[in-house]
Amino acid sequence: MSQEQDQGQQAGPAVPQTRTARHRRIVDILNRQPVRSQSQLAKLLADDGLSVTQATLSRDLDELNAVKIRNHEGDLIYAVPSEGGFRTPRAPLGSPRRRSGCGGCRRSC
């Protein structure tokens, strides 16, 4: 192994360099935890070693069809449509669902 290769391996985890890899990382973050703002998402990406500008992040969210929805606590968070056919964005996995009081309607009674 060359000295350059050895130094590259010591630098830490690989950072996604392509738009597709960046999109995959954004979707992964949005599916794991509630993200309320682009600046919060940028910080989470930076924590993973991926620095993006606000303009790039805004464009990425648009390309991913990300929207803001209300989670179970009533906060607005980013969500993306799932790949399995469900086109309606959903709150991150593990978020409790709001239960209906009467069980017969969609409203919370």
Side-chain angles (χ1 to χ4, degrees):
M1 185 181 307
S2 75
Q3 188 176 11
E4 285 180 31
Q5 289 173 328
D6 188 41
Q7 288 175 352
Q9 288 182 347
Q10 294 174 359
V15 176
Q17 298 296 320
T18 66
R19 184 181 83 189
T20 301
R22 189 175 64 245
H23 282 191
R24 220 174 298 138
R25 187 69 193 118
I26 290 170
V27 169
D28 180 52
I29 289 171
L30 296 180
N31 285 332
R32 281 188 299 117
Q33 66 189 81
V35 176
R36 292 173 187 84
S37 67
Q38 288 184 13
S39 59
Q40 180 187 6
L41 181 55
K43 167 102 174 67
L44 293 167
L45 289 168
D47 289 347
D48 283 347
L50 182 58
S51 177
V52 294
T53 65
Q54 189 276 329
T56 297
L57 193 51
S58 181
R59 186 171 43 251
D60 286 344
L61 289 168
D62 185 53
E63 290 170 354
L64 290 167
N65 296 315
V67 294
K68 280 201 163 182
I69 63 170
R70 292 213 182 266
N71 67 3
H72 67 283
E73 297 172 350
D75 298 323
L76 284 173
I77 60 169
Y78 279 103
V80 291
S82 66
E83 295 178 23
F86 293 110
R87 299 311 300 164
T88 303
R90 297 173 183 236
L93 295 176
S95 295
R97 298 192 188 285
R98 186 177 297 191
R99 283 183 253 148
S100 173
C102 65
C105 65
R106 292 184 162 173
R107 291 180 295 133
S108 183
C109 298

